Amino acid sequence: MKLLRLALLAASAALLGACATAPQPLQGAFTPITPSDAAARDATGSVVRWGGRIVGVEPQANRTCFEMISTRLSDTGRPYWATDDTGGRFLACRTGFYDPALFEKNREVTFTGRIDGFESRRIGEYDYRFPKLDAEVVYLWPVRQQVDVIERPSPWPWWGWW
C-alpha cells in the first residue's frame, strides 16, 4: 500500500513538473547573468537565455537585429512583466529575415545564444552600452489575451446587492 502511495506521489510530482517546463528550443544550461550585468563587466562568450519586449527590429542584408528591453523569465522561459523591474537592454541578431510586421514593438520574445561583444548606441541623449547576443533561437510568444472577469452578485435577496 505504501509503495502504491509513493508511486502516485512520484507520478503527481512528475505531471506537475511537466506543466512548468520551457519549450524544447529554450531548454538547456545557461549562465545566470542579466544584460545590465553583462554590460557592466565583460561576459563575452557566455551562453545565455534572455527575453523581454521588442523595442525595435532592424532587418539587414543577411540578418535581423532586435533591440530588446529585458525582463526576468518565468519557469517556461516566457518574459515576466508583473513589475517594472527590468534587466536592461540588449541587442540580439540572427541570420535570416524576421518580418517587422510580425515581430512588432512590445511583442514578447525569448532568445538563446552567446554574448558576442558590445555596441554603444544612444537612447535619446544617453549613451547606452548594449550587450550583443549572437542568437541561436528566436522564440516569439503568442499574444496574451486579456480577459476581464466580472463577478455579479447572485440574484437571491439574502445575497443580493439591493
Side-chain angles (χ1 to χ4, degrees):
M1 189 66 164
K2 288 193 181 252
L3 186 59
L4 179 60
R5 286 184 185 166
L6 185 61
L8 285 174
L9 181 64
S12 300
L15 286 173
L16 287 175
C19 295
T21 59
Q24 182 65 32
L26 300 178
Q27 293 179 3
F30 304 101
T31 305
I33 186 172
T34 65
S36 58
D37 292 340
R41 61 184 167 102
D42 189 14
T44 302
S46 298
V47 177
V48 295
R49 179 174 67 182
W50 288 343
R53 292 194 185 248
I54 297 174
V55 175
V57 179
E58 304 166 4
Q60 299 172 355
N62 61 350
R63 67 183 185 161
T64 303
C65 290
F66 303 86
E67 182 180 336
M68 302 292 299
I69 186 163
S70 172
T71 187
R72 63 187 170 105
L73 303 176
S74 69
D75 292 338
T76 62
R78 187 170 190 151
Y80 181 75
W81 281 90
T83 67
D84 291 334
D85 181 26
T86 65
R89 292 190 180 203
F90 67 95
L91 298 173
C93 297
R94 171 99 168 118
T95 304
F97 175 72
Y98 291 86
D99 195 338
L102 180 61
F103 288 83
E104 60 189 357
K105 186 175 181 175
N106 285 326
R107 286 292 302 266
E108 296 173 323
V109 184
T110 302
F111 301 91
T112 64
R114 188 172 301 276
I115 299 175
D116 187 31
F118 303 90
E119 183 176 321
S120 290
R121 291 186 176 191
R122 293 180 72 78
I123 300 175
E125 295 295 317
Y126 185 78
D127 288 324
Y128 194 89
R129 185 176 189 218
F130 287 84
K132 286 181 68 175
L133 183 65
D134 183 17
E136 295 174 9
V137 173
V138 178
Y139 195 91
L140 180 67
W141 292 93
V143 176
R144 293 181 198 243
Q145 300 296 325
Q146 182 174 345
V147 177
D148 292 328
V149 177
I150 300 171
E151 293 185 21
R152 303 216 187 277
S154 61
W156 310 105
W158 52 88
W159 296 109
W161 36 267
W162 49 83

